[in-house]
Amino acid sequence: MLTSRQIAEARQRALEFYEKAHIVLTDEEKANIEVADFGLDDLEHSGLELVVYVNTDRVCAKEMVLFPHQTCPEHRHPDINGKPGKEETFRCRWGKVYLYVPGEATAHPKAKPPEGHETYYTVWHEVELNPGQQYTLLPDTLHWFQAGPEGAVISEFSTTSMDEFDIFTDPDINRIPQIVE
Amino acid sequence: MLTSRQIAEARQRALEFYEKAHIVLTDEEKANIEVADFGLDDLEHSGLELVVYVNTDRVCAKEMVLFPHQTCPEHRHPDINGKPGKEETFRCRWGKVYLYVPGEATAHPKAKPPEGHETYYTVWHEVELNPGQQYTLLPDTLHWFQAGPEGAVISEFSTTSMDEFDIFTDPDINRIPQIVE
């Protein structure tokens, strides 16, 4: 669980990354940056900061920040009520991100799963994304990603986000943040 | 019709705007910037430069450039084969854009339609977008937009783009570019 203070600090820190990437946000967006710790209580290693620009019943666009070496844990977006799951394209805007997807395991992967959680990282085909590079994930594809040593800013273009339906490999994960005052 | 030389010049000019907005493009994207003159042969006034990041059967994302006072002519995205038309969100990244949509006509609009084409501009509710501001258009909504005096860089997040089905108010318009050597 995140405290209000942790959220405020993470928002402030995320702003520095949006500035480095020259991403212009409104004051309202800045004040409402979403801070996700996935219920693991270790934001420094497992977490994600994001601004959702739009999320209708057809289209979603987000601007995400990963702090240096911060990891978005392995998950997939399943089909829901017979409709295909979320399709997403990640485009790196600043920094560097290592994305892992199904396929031949990369011999010497650059990212390391957060300590103690190694079991829940099962796909190891590495895709390195630098600014201007992007990758499109089809629905229901397991994936996880981790920023390089400088952190990363990543645009996501996708179908509707319904985070509550995401399936994480780690059973301890809770995508919807719980906040304590 | 555009000549190869006009396209090369417009691409070079568009790159300057992407740089001002700190948008990082790959060499391949730079070499293939789409230059649309809508068949009106007056790119300076009626036109659009764009990079399509992704366009699947569900999602599309683009980065558009408008030169100073350049106009994307009035059009709408109709339903196709019983499926709802394109839904799009414009987010201004750099510069300024005036977007016109149905609704109460703005008394003193900041944009002027390209000379001789005034008849084909029929919606006059003005939405001014500065960096960080955005607007979502529902399917089949007439709209047109024009950059302010400095030009503009605009991200578009949308459902699938099928430009060939767009309906322009001006019957002389041909969205699919014709290139002469």
Side-chain angles (χ1 to χ4, degrees), chain B residues 31 52 122 139:
Chain B
V52 179
T122 69

Side-chain angles (χ1 to χ4, degrees), chain B residues 15-36:
Chain B
L15 283 180
E16 293 168 24
F17 288 86
Y18 287 122
E19 276 166 27
K20 286 179 192 185
H22 300 276
I23 302 288
V24 183
L25 302 175
T26 64
D27 288 343
E28 195 186 342
E29 288 168 336
K30 288 180 189 176
N32 291 293
I33 293 172
E34 183 183 344
V35 178

Side-chain angles (χ1 to χ4, degrees), chain A:
Chain A
M1 284 200 251
L2 288 162
T3 64
S4 304
R5 187 189 171 126
Q6 283 175 308
I7 293 175
E9 284 172 358
R11 281 181 178 153
Q12 198 53 44
R13 193 174 173 203
L15 283 180
E16 293 167 23
F17 289 85
Y18 287 122
E19 276 165 28
K20 286 179 191 184
H22 300 276
I23 302 287
V24 182
L25 301 175
T26 64
D27 289 342
E28 196 187 340
E29 287 168 338
K30 289 180 189 177
N32 291 293
I33 294 172
E34 183 182 343
V35 179
D37 79 341
F38 302 98
L40 295 177
D41 210 10
D42 181 19
L43 187 66
E44 186 70 20
H45 299 103
S46 298
L48 190 60
E49 295 69 39
L50 58 152
V51 172
V52 179
Y53 289 148
V54 60
N55 190 22
T56 71
D57 60 358
R58 301 174 75 192
V59 170
C60 180
K62 298 176 181 177
E63 210 79 73
M64 307 189 292
V65 165
L66 287 173
F67 300 144
H69 301 298
Q70 199 181 30
T71 304
C72 176
E74 186 177 288
H75 65 286
R76 59 188 172 87
H77 308 286
D79 298 353
I80 296 166
N81 298 330
K83 279 180 139 180
K86 186 182 176 209
E87 171 200 302
E88 48 193 25
T89 295
F90 297 125
R91 185 174 177 96
C92 181
R93 300 290 195 165
W94 183 90
K96 189 192 285 286
V97 64
Y98 299 106
L99 171 66
Y100 295 87
V101 295
E104 198 182 342
T106 298
H108 301 285
K110 302 285 197 324
K112 266 190 183 172
E115 241 182 275
H117 295 265
E118 292 83 354
T119 320
Y120 307 121
Y121 290 80
T122 68
V123 294
W124 283 99
H125 184 73
E126 181 177 278
V127 180
E128 179 181 322
L129 297 177
N130 293 293
Q133 296 180 317
Q134 64 180 47
Y135 190 88
T136 299
L137 279 164
L138 294 183
D140 212 18
T141 307
L142 276 174
H143 61 286
W144 61 282
F145 47 99
Q146 183 176 94
E150 313 273 328
V153 179
I154 307 152
S155 297
E156 182 187 281
F157 315 123
S158 74
T159 56
T160 311
S161 276
M162 293 182 283
D163 298 339
E164 65 276 25
F165 293 108
D166 293 350
I167 297 174
F168 286 84
T169 307
D170 182 345
D172 292 338
I173 283 180
N174 189 347
R175 172 64 182 88
I176 306 305
Q178 304 195 311
I179 302 170
V180 289
E181 286 312 312

Side-chain angles (χ1 to χ4, degrees), chain B residues 17 42 78 104 137 170 172 177:
Chain B
F17 288 86
D42 181 20
E104 197 182 343
L137 278 164
D170 182 346
D172 292 338

Side-chain angles (χ1 to χ4, degrees), chain B residues 3-54:
Chain B
T3 64
S4 304
R5 186 188 172 130
Q6 283 175 308
I7 292 174
E9 284 173 357
R11 281 181 178 153
Q12 198 52 45
R13 194 175 172 201
L15 283 180
E16 293 168 24
F17 288 86
Y18 287 122
E19 276 166 27
K20 286 179 192 185
H22 300 276
I23 302 288
V24 183
L25 302 175
T26 64
D27 288 343
E28 195 186 342
E29 288 168 336
K30 288 180 189 176
N32 291 293
I33 293 172
E34 183 183 344
V35 178
D37 79 342
F38 302 98
L40 295 177
D41 209 12
D42 181 20
L43 186 66
E44 185 70 20
H45 299 102
S46 299
L48 191 60
E49 294 70 39
L50 58 154
V51 172
V52 179
Y53 288 147
V54 60

